[in-house]
Amino acid sequence: NAGVTQTPKFQVLKTGQSMTLQCAQDMNHNSMYWYRQDPGMGLRLIYYSASEGTTDKGEVPNGYNVSRLNKREFSLRLESAAPSQTSVYFCASSERGLNYGYTFGSGTRLTVV
Amino acid sequence: AQSVTQLGSHVSVSEGALVLLRCNYSSSVPPYLFWYVQYPNQGLQLLLKYTSAATLVKGINGFEAEFKKSETSFHLTKPSAHMSDAAEYFCAVSQAGTALIFGKGTTLSVSS
């Protein structure tokens, strides 16, 4: 099925470990996004890529890095995980730019102990 | 800076009753407005969007929302709630050239 695929679905890390969350879309969308969801906080934008070759910080970028590997793939890296990064992470993409409806992946549930 | 406020973190209705989920936005320029729904352990699905066309927007599953500039509101309604409507609902706003900013969400419970 066409859509946004995130891997892994679940992950437990120890404080200080690093990992990369993968995201791929097969809809030929130009723009891609990473959000984190925390109880009572809604979704907060971490980073986004308006088009291939560009990335920009969102509301909560500290502790994260991103790579827009190609038009399909947009990865999120935690260099040194902290318990405050325990969250559910969502990747999304949009066809016609920042102002149109986003298609979301099913999320990665990350726990940092 | 743009922002969105969802009034009421939790709304409970009976099956068949009117659903009203409130959203107010803050934007210095004409905004784009969206409602998304999230079922447990799933990603978000787009319910409907306002992009400066008709002020009354119809979405999926019988939901609709009305853009009221004078009240800076974009409330979500459904005439008759169904058990399957129980989920978390998010209002979101953006301006030209910016990514979506989400509200904190409203959990809708539907009782029989």
Side-chain angles (χ1 to χ4, degrees):
Chain A
N1 290 336
V4 178
T5 302
Q6 292 184 237
T7 55
K9 293 189 182 302
F10 302 93
Q11 184 71 48
V12 178
L13 288 178
K14 294 183 179 180
T15 297
Q17 287 186 316
S18 62
M19 80 161 294
T20 300
L21 281 63
Q22 306 287 352
C23 176
Q25 52 92 7
D26 57 5
M27 297 170 287
N28 202 35
H29 286 177
N30 287 315
S31 303
M32 299 186 72
Y33 316 84
W34 278 105
Y35 286 87
R36 60 177 288 174
Q37 183 180 24
D38 302 290
M41 300 294 290
L43 278 81
R44 292 180 292 170
L45 182 66
I46 305 171
Y47 272 94
Y48 67 99
S49 172
S51 61
E52 186 179 357
T54 68
T55 60
D56 286 285
K57 295 179 180 179
E59 179 184 359
V60 289
N62 291 345
Y64 305 95
N65 285 301
V66 291
S67 295
R68 183 75 183 266
L69 304 171
N70 47 56
K71 191 172 185 178
R72 289 187 64 247
E73 299 173 287
F74 189 39
S75 63
L76 178 71
R77 183 161 179 83
L78 287 69
E79 292 292 350
S80 179
S84 61
Q85 294 178 305
T86 294
S87 187
V88 181
Y89 291 85
F90 287 100
C91 178
S93 68
S94 62
E95 178 182 11
R96 295 170 62 183
L98 303 174
N99 305 121
Y100 289 82
Y102 294 3
T103 300
F104 280 83
S106 58
T108 294
R109 188 173 295 274
L110 176 67
T111 302
V112 183
V113 299
Chain B
Q2 57 185 335
S3 65
V4 61
T5 302
Q6 293 185 239
L7 301 176
S9 60
H10 198 155
V11 171
S12 297
V13 300
S14 299
E15 195 171 20
L18 171 72
V19 175
L20 171 61
L21 304 181
R22 300 176 186 273
C23 173
N24 288 88
Y25 69 90
S26 171
S27 176
S28 58
V29 297
Y32 298 88
L33 294 159
F34 305 80
W35 276 100
Y36 284 83
V37 60
Q38 184 182 32
Y39 299 102
N41 299 314
Q42 294 187 25
L44 279 72
Q45 299 177 28
L46 179 65
L47 271 179
L48 50 80
K49 62 185 178 186
Y50 167 77
T51 56
S52 76
T55 56
L56 182 62
V57 182
K58 294 186 183 298
I60 62 172
N61 301 336
F63 285 93
E64 62 182 36
E66 186 172 8
F67 172 68
K68 292 187 176 180
K69 184 178 179 180
S70 61
E71 299 177 6
T72 60
S73 69
F74 190 59
H75 301 331
L76 182 70
T77 60
K78 182 174 181 178
S80 177
H82 192 273
M83 296 292 286
S84 61
D85 294 326
E88 189 161 21
Y89 292 80
F90 293 94
C91 183
V93 64
S94 72
Q95 301 171 3
T98 66
L100 290 187
I101 301 297
F102 286 83
K104 295 184 177 182
T106 298
T107 299
L108 175 67
S109 300
V110 182
S111 58
S112 58

